[in-house]
Amino acid sequence: MLIVMHHTATDEQVQAITDAVKAMGLTPQPIPGSERTAIGVLGNQGYVDDTSIRDMPGVREIIHVSKPYKLVSRDFHPESSVVEAGGVKFGDGHPPVVIAGPCSVESEAQMMAAAPLVKDAGARMLRGGAFKPRTGPHSFQGLGVEGLKYLRRAGDSVGLPVITEVMRIEQLEIVCKYADVLQIGARNMQNFDLLKEAGKTMHPVLLKRGMSATIEEFLSAAEYLLAEGNPRVILCERGIRTFERTTRNTLDLTVVPLIREMSHLPIIVDPSHATGRRNLVTPMAKAALVVGAHGIMVEVHPDPDRALCDGAQSLSGNDFTQLMNDLRKLQELFGGTL
Ligand code: PEP
Ligand code: MN
């Protein structure tokens, strides 16, 4: 349930509603807006009888929201959220953010080569996995904490904030120490304990869609982070598993405009994991911006053919520069910058 107050409602009236909601055994969550305050009601199992509240002074309207993801929904929070992460703003009214870098941190030299390459082409955040969720145990598993240090050093060397994946609760502390943004990967989208603990850190989180997650499951996973009080969540569509095997996944671009309708959170697209093929990355990155993504995340490697992970979908420096030029032209068409 969402209680929308009149724009003339006083602080005392808002407080009286908050008290009344608590008296019903429910949790009030005030949502201040530029026009008026709304009070979200959490904790109800089903329909809430609003008779004791609807005639209280200052109440304009009561909206019953039955979705399992209330805090992330636009019903609860009609204004689009702008999420600041590592000094970069994701959301409406801000240029799309390009995050780029290798799939995995492989060595200090590789990261020191990757960083200027993505920075000079115009990326605004550097990526690199130190803890890697690999399908098989014999594949490169990442450099762990050593990798975090290389990533940080490389980001600092060019003045870019960094993002990296956290796979387990025990890694949260060290990843928060080295990275500006926590990435929760597709395989962990429904690791509810990890989501809860990541929510408590208050560090910005990039939450990737699970490979077979419905939109409701995706938004419900984000709800875990917000329910812990962390509003700094960026969603990421990275392709879903379908019957089609020609591409690594199927990029579900429909979720971009759909999630923009359903949620106030920013959403970006990862065309690298979505397609698995280098030559498909640029066209799908362009498509992502056309449908309204607030950014993209792309894998870029100084020597893609020798990458220890995801080389087939990684762009070279030249490919990436070309991609950025294409995106810039697109942004000019929209009347904006990149
Ligand atoms: C990644 O970004 O390197 C990654 C493992 O992505 P996903 O969780 O989407 O598979
Ligand atoms: Mn990868």
Side-chain angles (χ1 to χ4, degrees):
M1 188 164 82
L2 182 70
I3 303 161
V4 182
M5 304 299 288
H6 276 293
H7 66 281
T8 52
T10 62
D11 290 348
E12 289 73 28
Q13 287 170 342
V14 172
Q15 187 58 49
I17 299 291
T18 304
D19 294 343
V21 170
K22 281 190 194 147
M24 291 163 81
L26 300 170
T27 309
Q29 165 118 7
I31 306 167
S34 55
E35 297 274 300
R36 57 175 63 89
T37 294
I39 299 159
V41 178
L42 304 173
N44 53 302
Q45 297 300 324
Y47 186 86
V48 180
D49 181 3
D50 62 20
T51 39
S52 62
I53 290 178
R54 74 179 162 221
D55 293 328
M56 287 177 70
V59 174
R60 177 174 173 263
E61 190 184 5
I62 292 190
I63 301 168
H64 289 271
V65 185
S66 55
K67 298 186 178 82
Y69 48 89
K70 293 181 177 177
L71 299 174
V72 309
S73 82
R74 258 203 205 274
D75 298 337
F76 253 48
H77 193 295
E79 286 162 45
S80 297
S81 288
V82 172
V83 173
E84 193 185 325
V88 176
K89 288 191 171 130
F90 295 77
D92 285 359
H94 296 276
V97 177
V98 178
I99 304 171
C103 177
S104 308
V105 177
E106 299 168 5
S107 66
E108 184 163 21
Q110 171 236 21
M111 288 311 297
M112 285 301 189
L117 206 144
V118 302
K119 162 87 180 186
D120 292 349
R124 289 199 285 146
M125 193 175 292
L126 178 68
R127 65 153 285 152
F131 298 106
K132 291 303 302 176
R134 301 306 302 276
T135 303
H138 307 302
S139 306
F140 176 61
Q141 301 287 309
L143 297 180
V145 177
E146 206 189 335
L148 293 177
K149 293 180 184 166
Y150 298 156
L151 172 67
R152 179 82 258 168
R153 236 173 264 160
D156 288 348
S157 74
V158 293
L160 284 183
V162 300
I163 176 170
T164 198
E165 179 161 354
V166 56
M167 282 171 45
R168 292 192 286 124
I169 292 174
E170 305 82 80
Q171 295 162 353
L172 274 167
E173 198 180 329
I174 191 89
V175 175
C176 283
K177 181 173 166 204
Y178 286 103
D180 300 284
V181 187
L182 304 174
Q183 178 172 321
I184 296 191
R187 291 155 195 80
N188 267 320
M189 188 206 82
Q190 283 191 316
N191 182 338
F192 303 118
D193 288 341
L194 178 63
L195 293 172
K196 282 184 199 163
E197 294 306 312
K200 287 182 192 148
T201 67
M202 296 303 196
H203 228 64
V205 177
L206 179 79
L207 178 65
K208 299 188 90 175
R209 183 182 181 184
M211 59 186 82
S212 53
T214 63
I215 293 169
E216 183 166 311
E217 287 163 344
F218 189 18
L219 293 177
S220 298
E223 184 82 4
Y224 270 91
L225 296 161
L226 273 77
E228 294 297 337
N230 188 354
R232 297 162 82 193
V233 176
I234 303 148
L235 302 170
C236 179
E237 160 64 31
R238 46 76 75 204
I240 49 172
R241 182 67 65 89
T242 68
F243 56 84
E244 181 55 65
R245 302 314 307 144
T246 317
T247 48
R248 182 172 178 182
N249 289 289
T250 297
L251 180 53
D252 182 10
L253 275 184
T254 314
V255 303
V256 176
L258 200 54
I259 281 187
R260 288 178 60 122
E261 232 175 76
M262 296 165 80
S263 174
H264 55 91
L265 295 176
I267 174 153
I268 71 165
V269 169
D270 169 354
S272 305
H273 293 87
T275 61
R277 292 164 59 152
R278 200 175 295 161
N279 61 329
L280 300 177
V281 169
T282 297
M284 298 321 285
K286 291 196 273 189
L289 291 200
V290 172
V291 296
H294 297 109
I296 56 164
M297 179 154 85
V298 188
E299 286 186 343
V300 177
H301 194 287
D303 189 356
D305 294 332
R306 291 205 176 74
L308 296 182
C309 182
D310 287 349
Q313 67 192 34
S314 298
L315 301 185
S316 66
N318 283 343
D319 297 338
F320 181 61
T321 303
Q322 186 56 49
L323 163 68
M324 291 300 290
N325 288 340
D326 285 5
L327 295 185
R328 246 177 234 114
K329 281 188 209 137
L330 254 187
Q331 277 305 104
E332 278 165 24
L333 275 183
F334 297 150
T337 54
L338 194 64

